[in-house]
Amino acid sequence: MNTAIYPGSFDPITLGHLNLIKRASSTFERVIVCVMRNGGKSPLFTPDERLDQVKRVTAKFSNVEVDSYDGLVADYARERGARVVIRGLRALSDYEKECMMALVNKKLNPGLETLFLAADEKYMYHSSSGAKELARFGADLRQWCPWEIIGELEERIRSVR
Ligand code: ADP
């Protein structure tokens, strides 16, 4: 089966991530969105909370599965029998980091191709960190995050203040 993996921290999932998932789901037979549990950043949401959020937000896509993993993307892809990893490119600043990651993944799993999708122009400047920053200042998040998670983002930001 033509399967692609879309790994990320999704802390939290934004409309930019969702746009990539939608486009990948119309290109591949199956897309596995994988919430990576081992991010070095100190996340706002626990891996299980992020997993649950991504599941709720992507429930409308019948060929999208959501999972989480503590380990390397290269190993996860091998376990799931996937040969394509999807990543997004917004600005030039994403390029260097993403290219390095693609090369490392290829070294670890030579059968794995990284496919970059250019960010949609509407979501070029969307990021999880941007959404959190806006939430801190009480901005309207409807243009940034899926409606299903806005309440919990606002609530969590309030509780960590
Ligand atoms: P990571 O911590 O692995 O970078 P993120 O959740 O921040 O995880 O992002 C996952 C992937 O989605 C990355 O390839 C990132 O470049 C991409 N991405 C994030 N935001 C957008 C966006 N607005 N448009 C397109 N791609 C995006």
Side-chain angles (χ1 to χ4, degrees), residues 6-12 14-17 19-20 23 36 41 86-90 94 97-98 101 116-120 123-128:
Y6 178 35
S9 313
F10 306 108
D11 183 47
T14 68
L15 292 178
H17 293 128
N19 174 262
L20 239 64
R23 288 158 61 200
M36 301 309 291
K41 317 165 184 171
I86 303 280
R87 296 287 290 178
L89 289 180
R90 286 160 293 185
D94 277 343
K97 182 188 114 208
E98 292 292 342
M101 209 185 310
F116 294 118
L117 294 184
D120 186 286
Y123 305 114
M124 286 289 283
Y125 52 90
H126 283 58
S127 65
S128 299

Side-chain angles (χ1 to χ4, degrees), residues 56-89:
R56 275 185 278 133
V57 166
T58 61
K60 52 185 167 286
F61 302 112
S62 60
N63 63 338
V64 172
E65 197 182 300
V66 186
D67 196 5
S68 69
Y69 191 70
D70 189 2
L72 298 169
V73 169
D75 292 334
Y76 181 71
R78 203 179 278 113
E79 281 175 26
R80 299 302 308 260
R83 291 171 47 206
V84 175
V85 171
I86 303 280
R87 296 287 290 178
L89 289 180

Side-chain angles (χ1 to χ4, degrees), residues 14-75:
T14 68
L15 292 178
H17 293 128
L18 191 58
N19 174 262
L20 239 64
I21 293 167
K22 188 175 169 196
R23 288 158 61 200
S25 80
S26 61
T27 309
F28 290 89
E29 284 174 37
R30 180 171 63 150
V31 175
I32 305 172
V33 183
C34 187
V35 175
M36 301 309 291
R37 291 179 168 267
N38 46 336
K41 317 165 184 171
S42 47
L44 185 64
F45 292 101
T46 67
D48 286 336
E49 285 169 334
R50 285 179 274 143
L51 179 71
D52 176 66
Q53 290 168 348
V54 179
K55 275 187 180 163
R56 275 185 278 133
V57 166
T58 61
K60 52 185 167 286
F61 302 112
S62 60
N63 63 338
V64 172
E65 197 182 300
V66 186
D67 196 5
S68 69
Y69 191 70
D70 189 2
L72 298 169
V73 169
D75 292 334

Side-chain angles (χ1 to χ4, degrees), residues 82-116:
R83 291 171 47 206
V84 175
V85 171
I86 303 280
R87 296 287 290 178
L89 289 180
R90 286 160 293 185
L92 201 58
S93 50
D94 277 343
Y95 181 80
E96 195 177 346
K97 182 188 114 208
E98 292 292 342
C99 258
M100 296 285 272
M101 209 185 310
L103 290 170
V104 170
N105 283 337
K106 187 93 183 156
K107 201 92 189 150
L108 297 171
N109 180 348
L112 193 59
E113 290 296 345
T114 299
L115 197 71
F116 294 118

